[in-house]
Amino acid sequence: DLLYVNLDLPAGTNSEIVEKEALQVAENVRQIPESLAAITDVGRSFTGENFSQNSSSAVITILLKPAADRNK
């Protein structure tokens, strides 16, 4: 199973700050036992159907363990 998390910072936020914040969120997600991986994609956002370019956003893609192996 996959989850997509949008990280939206104020318009005009420096991409280095967006990346730093996204990496911190991904690191926090990696500490959750039910997650297998968290991958950041800076400069993009997810609308529910499509990805779009947005310099002040990032998408964190979370790969979860199979449902049978999760406690939550």
Side-chain angles (χ1 to χ4, degrees), residues 7 10 13 20 26 41 43 46 49 51 60-61 66 70:
L7 175 65
T13 300
K20 178 182 173 186
D41 192 357
F46 185 64
E49 294 182 10
F51 289 93
I60 297 101
T61 303
R70 296 191 304 244

Side-chain angles (χ1 to χ4, degrees), residues 2-52:
L2 292 176
L3 292 176
Y4 297 103
V5 176
N6 278 331
L7 175 65
D8 295 316
L9 297 174
T13 300
N14 182 298
S15 62
E16 291 176 4
I17 293 172
V18 176
E19 181 176 18
K20 178 182 173 186
E21 294 296 324
L23 290 172
Q24 182 62 55
V25 170
E27 182 58 32
N28 290 341
V29 167
R30 289 184 190 107
Q31 303 306 312
I32 299 169
E34 290 77 18
S35 71
L36 291 174
I39 303 162
T40 60
D41 192 357
V42 176
R44 295 180 66 167
S45 60
F46 185 64
T47 65
E49 294 182 10
N50 299 307
F51 289 93
S52 62

